[in-house]
Amino acid sequence: MLLGVNIDHIAVLREARKINDPDPLDAISLVKRAGAHQITIHLREDRRHINDDDARKIIENSALPVNMECSINSEIIEKVIALHPHRITLVPEKREEVTTEGGLDVIKNFQSIKAISDELQKQQIELSLFIDPDPKVVQATHELNAQWIELHTGLYANVYAMLSSNLSRSSHSIKALELDRNSLHVKLQNALEALRQSAKKAHFLGLKVAAGHGLNYQNVKEIKSIEEIIELNIGQSIIARSVFTGLENAIKEMMEVLR
Ligand code: PXP
């Protein structure tokens, strides 16, 4: 399993103070040393964390391939193509969201994504589309000549978290707790099944399959058992753990879970 480490949150901490420290550029050698395979960064339209200068320096200096996430906004696409990362992952973006919510609406935006895909092919930059696990969307992604899909694991991760917190909640009656737990279990299995079916279909169509969003040291175990998924992009949980253990250890620990 390949691991892309999303280092945006280092820039989130820097932006909390609007100073130069910590610098996400300092992370790239540690990510490599810890044995991960890719640096992932998101150049958001509002530049709330990674900015243009970070992106340029990271791409110029990283010994690992850089996967740049961005929206399909033409201004941002032009900037990101000029930086020439190894891969561009198109994601939906809303100004008011805390983090990327839901997958890209590939069917509605088919024509604009096609134009981006044609340009990336000319520039020899890999294209990945961050999509919800839905076989119809997987099919459309294939028709857009993307090399990769990244399956959104957010729903799975949310249900997993609800199930864990439900188990430790004491205010419920035993019966209500059982009911909640059963319906959450069904939701979790459905979310996993959607990921499995989409991964299978994408693999059958010749797409490379990545997954990400909300994955942590516990919930990643079910995802790693989906054999068509060959790469995970993980940010929040690794950077959160690194506050206590250091970045290199936090990544090594995740690599160990993925082994
Ligand atoms: N993959 C994509 C496309 C994302 O947008 C994000 C969040 O920036 C991630 C992976 C990483 O998600 P998390 O920080 O929840 O691990």
Side-chain angles (χ1 to χ4, degrees):
M1 179 68 83
L2 302 171
L3 176 64
V5 180
N6 187 316
I7 59 173
D8 295 342
H9 290 288
I10 298 172
V12 169
L13 187 55
R14 176 192 64 195
E15 293 307 310
R17 274 292 177 94
K18 304 264 178 240
I19 51 171
N20 297 326
D21 199 28
D23 187 342
L25 183 64
D26 293 338
I28 61 174
S29 54
L30 295 173
V31 174
K32 176 154 193 324
R33 214 158 66 197
H37 306 90
Q38 171 171 269
I39 302 285
T40 296
I41 48 176
H42 185 172
L43 190 67
R44 291 188 69 99
E45 288 168 28
D46 61 9
R47 308 298 198 275
R48 70 169 72 150
H49 39 56
I50 294 290
N51 60 37
D52 302 54
D53 208 32
D54 294 325
R56 182 182 55 74
K57 288 190 198 145
I58 289 168
I59 291 168
E60 278 174 11
N61 292 289
S62 175
L64 293 175
V66 176
N67 169 29
M68 267 199 83
E69 301 169 2
C70 68
S71 74
I72 59 171
N73 169 299
S74 53
E75 215 174 290
I76 204 99
I77 286 288
E78 211 172 292
K79 285 208 158 107
V80 170
I81 290 179
L83 292 166
H84 218 280
H86 186 80
R87 187 191 311 168
I88 292 179
T89 299
L90 298 178
V91 301
E93 204 175 293
K94 285 193 235 119
R95 290 280 161 128
E96 64 280 10
E97 69 192 357
V98 175
T99 180
T100 317
E101 290 167 0
L104 189 62
D105 191 340
V106 172
I107 294 168
K108 186 171 137 209
N109 296 296
F110 194 89
Q111 290 311 328
S112 17
I113 300 174
K114 182 76 177 74
I116 298 170
S117 172
D118 291 347
E119 184 57 28
L120 295 194
Q121 223 156 16
K122 273 193 231 148
Q123 303 281 342
Q124 299 188 313
I125 299 173
E126 284 185 347
L127 171 64
S128 178
L129 302 180
F130 186 49
I131 59 168
D132 285 324
D134 174 345
K136 280 200 299 298
V137 185
V138 173
Q139 180 66 42
T141 303
H142 172 62
E143 287 161 20
L144 284 162
N145 296 324
Q147 293 78 39
W148 286 84
I149 55 162
E150 181 170 340
L151 293 173
H152 198 310
T153 49
L155 175 65
Y156 160 77
N158 283 345
V159 179
Y160 191 103
M162 280 193 273
L163 199 50
S164 316
S165 65
N166 173 310
L167 293 180
S168 57
R169 227 164 36 199
S170 57
S171 58
H172 273 70
S173 72
I174 300 289
K175 197 155 180 231
L177 194 61
E178 276 305 320
L179 274 175
D180 272 12
R181 215 154 59 176
N182 289 342
S183 81
L184 285 173
H185 265 298
V186 171
K187 279 198 178 124
L188 190 71
Q189 288 316 314
N190 289 346
L192 269 173
E193 192 51 26
L195 287 163
R196 282 194 204 102
Q197 292 306 325
S198 298
K200 199 173 270 193
K201 172 149 189 166
H203 180 72
F204 175 76
L205 293 170
L207 288 155
K208 289 186 254 189
V209 187
H213 213 282
L215 297 179
N216 59 36
Y217 296 81
Q218 288 79 42
N219 68 17
V220 79
K221 288 171 192 157
E222 297 277 9
I223 301 297
K224 80 166 187 183
S225 70
I226 303 175
E227 64 184 49
E228 291 85 2
I229 297 179
I230 57 170
E231 178 193 287
L232 299 175
N233 288 294
I234 306 181
Q236 169 79 30
S237 62
I238 291 179
I239 304 301
R241 182 156 302 201
S242 76
V243 172
F244 303 106
T245 67
L247 185 57
E248 212 176 320
N249 286 334
I251 296 170
K252 282 183 178 158
E253 220 177 305
M254 182 60 83
M255 297 284 296
E256 200 50 48
V257 179
L258 296 181
R259 222 161 262 142

